[in-house]
Amino acid sequence: MRGGGLLVAGTTSDAGKSVVTAGICRWLVRQGVKVAPFKGQNMSLNSYVTREGAEIGRAQAMQAQAARLEPSALMNPVLLKPGSDRSSQVVLMGRPVGELSARGYHGGRQQALLGTVVECLEELRATHDAVICEGAGSPAEINLRRNDIVNMGIARAARFPVLVVGDIDRGGVFAQFFGTTALLAAEDQELVAGYLVNKFRGDVTLLEPGLDMLYGLTGRRTFGVLPYAHGLGIDEEDGLRVSLRGAVRESVVAPPVGEDVLRVAVCAVPLMSNFTDVDALAAEPGVVVRFVDRPEELADADLVVVPGTRGTVRALAWLRERGLAEALVRRAAEGRPVLGICGGFQALGERIEDEVESRAGEVDGLGLLPVAVRFAVEKTLTRPAGEALGERVDGYEIHHGVADVRGGEPFLDGCRVGAVWGTHWHGSLESDGFRRAFLREVARAAGRRFVPAPGTSFAALREEQLDRLGDLIEQHADTDALWKLIESGRPGGLPFVPPGAP
């Protein structure tokens, strides 16, 4: 017997599809339902490596955690990783299969992948009671509908009801709900069951007349009004404006244990990937994390992080153009802490030979670490574990660059010279003991009387956030009606809202 399901679509990007999908998964699993998340096609530079060595979007890995499942490539069969404004690397079933322009992908390649996407969804349905699908962007992107495999295309293939999420904090949510529905073809409109308002502030009774009018206009009900919830900076896709403003990054969760705070500046390099690496730093009491793009912003930083990037050579040029490269070299000479992760680690090395990512050939790095990097066609996708600073460390690797470490002290897979560290390992700072040991090293080098809190558990904090998402659904959505949708499909008699798709 195939499990039921639901597609969570959105009126816009960053409407809250990822967190609503995670919230529904957490609510269902707490009810004893075996549920899995799914997103047919994802565009994101924030990715994750599954145990079997497949690369998927971090949002789907987070949703799998919400469902208390091990992440799988089945949950995100197609991942697009932008390399420029016009092209992306296509990752199919967790493995890169080529680089395509937007026109080349949407011009035919995308539709050819529909069979694979549907097969993955059906495999999940065969082994779970319910599958909660996340859409992408908006289902009313009428220029892309013909080849769609992630919004109404997958909903129609699976006959799943569609719940449309709108961000009322941005304004215009009634127009967005109505317009989204009215721009869909009649066959697609049949699957749109109703709406969910996200990020509402204030007295919900003031909203009710508008919801009643929306029902009168569309014949579709609103399944809940979720209040604005602070501190949910959970792994979204590339909503940098949204994700980087989560309380995990901008608020001190508790007073510092020592006498000083620790200030961390993250260089906001182009095509920044897996910027979620610094979430674990920001979760520490007394650690303040901010993203910067000017050299003067490094002046008072106790630690500067050069994060991962999908374009190492481009990031190097950007660092030099902005004057940040010179500031980093000066910091290293002064013995002030710098950490490079993945592409950031590569940039801190002496030389890069790239005929794969940028095809720029040989490029000088910043020369802060004795490392030469050669880009390989085959992508490294692993889940390493090891030890550093006397503590166990777990991480994951996603990179084409192969590092030849020629000196320094060993540091994970990279090295350390003075107060400059470099590694390809993403996620290493989520290992609590290692993170605390690393921060003690940073505080010592920076001359700060900062003391890491002894009991901070990043995994526990993440679980608390996922439970809060489940609480939002349980307390502010009509869960009986939601379950009926998931189990039985769309309600009958939903009217057509003109004009429909052009």
Side-chain angles (χ1 to χ4, degrees):
M1 179 179 174
R2 293 191 306 169
L6 176 72
L7 174 73
V8 178
T11 57
T12 63
S13 295
D14 296 329
K17 299 182 292 291
S18 295
V19 294
V20 167
T21 300
I24 293 174
C25 285
R26 178 50 60 103
W27 158 62
L28 285 173
V29 80
R30 293 194 308 205
Q31 310 307 309
V33 176
K34 189 178 181 183
V35 58
F38 179 80
K39 185 162 185 172
Q41 171 199 293
N42 196 349
M43 177 174 278
S44 180
L45 286 170
N46 284 334
S47 58
Y48 181 80
V49 179
T50 68
R51 279 186 179 168
E52 65 266 28
E55 184 180 8
I56 66 172
R58 268 199 74 104
Q60 279 60 67
M62 174 268 291
Q63 290 160 0
Q65 186 178 349
R68 298 185 178 136
L69 294 177
E70 185 64 33
S72 161
L74 291 172
M75 299 170 183
N76 180 207
V78 181
L79 173 64
L80 305 179
K81 302 195 73 175
S84 70
D85 292 339
R86 297 193 174 188
S87 69
S88 295
Q89 183 181 69
V90 181
V91 179
L92 178 63
M93 295 304 295
R95 294 286 172 180
V97 294
E99 198 92 13
L100 280 179
S101 67
R103 180 177 293 276
Y105 181 72
H106 291 288
R109 175 63 167 158
Q110 182 183 35
Q111 184 64 24
L113 296 173
L114 179 60
T116 299
V117 170
V118 171
E119 286 173 9
C120 291
L121 175 57
E122 290 304 309
E123 188 169 340
L124 288 173
R125 292 181 73 183
T127 52
H128 294 81
D129 303 324
V131 180
I132 308 302
C133 303
E134 179 190 344
S138 164
E141 290 166 352
I142 52 180
N143 56 315
L144 303 177
R145 174 62 184 93
R146 184 169 63 90
N147 294 320
D148 171 56
I149 63 172
V150 65
N151 288 308
M152 301 311 300
I154 195 68
R156 201 189 291 192
R159 303 306 298 170
F160 274 0
V162 178
L163 181 70
V164 181
V165 177
D167 178 358
I168 197 170
D169 196 51
R170 294 180 172 190
V173 76
F174 293 116
Q176 292 168 19
F177 284 145
F178 180 84
T180 297
T181 309
L183 278 176
L184 298 179
E187 296 85 353
D188 288 343
Q189 284 194 27
E190 288 178 0
L191 298 173
V192 176
Y195 313 109
L196 186 73
V197 176
N198 192 28
K199 298 183 183 178
F200 180 70
R201 306 174 193 249
D203 184 349
V204 72
T205 60
L206 299 176
L207 196 63
E208 288 170 355
L211 300 179
D212 292 340
M213 285 186 275
L214 182 67
Y215 178 78
L217 288 165
T218 67
R220 289 158 176 84
R221 58 166 298 184
T222 298
F223 284 78
V225 177
L226 308 185
Y228 193 103
H230 294 277
L232 291 178
I234 284 184
D235 305 350
E236 299 191 55
E237 292 168 4
D238 285 326
L240 199 60
R241 180 189 63 79
V242 175
S243 192
L244 297 189
R245 296 297 175 262
V248 122
R249 292 184 175 91
E250 69 179 5
S251 299
V252 178
V253 294
V257 175
E259 297 179 44
D260 288 341
V261 298
L262 211 60
R263 295 174 175 83
V264 179
V266 184
C267 296
V269 297
L271 299 175
M272 181 164 46
S273 61
N274 288 65
F275 52 76
T276 47
D277 280 332
V278 300
D279 284 355
L281 292 178
E284 282 285 345
V287 176
V288 180
V289 177
R290 67 182 188 274
F291 285 75
V292 304
D293 59 6
R294 297 192 300 269
E296 55 269 25
E297 294 178 295
L298 304 189
D300 68 343
D302 302 305
L303 169 67
V304 175
V305 177
V306 186
T309 172
R310 173 86 162 84
T312 302
V313 170
R314 179 175 167 183
L316 262 171
W318 181 87
L319 289 168
R320 288 181 168 122
E321 289 163 5
R322 295 272 177 154
L324 287 159
E326 185 180 344
L328 288 167
V329 171
R330 190 163 55 248
R331 282 186 67 91
E334 295 168 352
R336 303 178 66 200
V338 176
L339 171 65
I341 301 174
C342 200
F345 165 44
Q346 296 165 6
L348 297 183
E350 296 171 342
R351 191 180 75 253
I352 293 171
E353 185 183 331
D354 182 10
E355 299 292 350
V356 175
E357 193 174 76
S358 68
R359 297 181 173 86
E362 193 165 306
V363 177
D364 288 336
L366 298 185
L368 304 185
L369 292 173
V371 176
V373 176
R374 178 185 55 81
F375 275 68
V377 174
E378 188 73 17
K379 182 184 281 191
T380 297
L381 295 168
T382 63
R383 290 265 295 266
E387 186 176 298
L389 305 179
E391 299 286 347
R392 177 180 168 80
V393 190
D394 295 289
Y396 58 99
E397 295 185 53
I398 306 170
H399 54 90
H400 284 280
V402 179
D404 178 11
V405 179
R406 300 173 174 179
E409 299 176 44
F411 179 70
L412 301 176
D413 70 316
C415 64
R416 170 189 183 177
V417 174
V420 179
W421 295 265
T423 177
H424 275 126
W425 290 21
H426 293 291
S428 62
L429 294 166
E430 295 179 19
S431 298
D432 297 324
F434 167 71
R435 181 181 64 254
R436 287 192 278 269
F438 177 72
L439 289 175
R440 282 192 290 269
E441 291 275 322
V442 168
R444 187 179 304 114
R448 295 286 185 187
R449 289 172 292 184
F450 169 84
V451 178
T456 303
S457 166
F458 184 75
L461 289 172
R462 175 55 53 89
E463 276 295 301
E464 288 175 15
Q465 287 185 315
L466 293 172
D467 275 332
R468 288 180 63 200
L469 291 179
D471 293 342
L472 282 175
I473 298 299
E474 191 167 338
Q475 296 169 13
H476 300 282
D478 185 340
T479 51
D480 288 340
L482 276 181
W483 176 245
K484 187 175 180 181
L485 275 185
I486 293 166
E487 190 177 37
S488 305
R490 67 174 182 84
L494 295 173
F496 173 72
V497 180

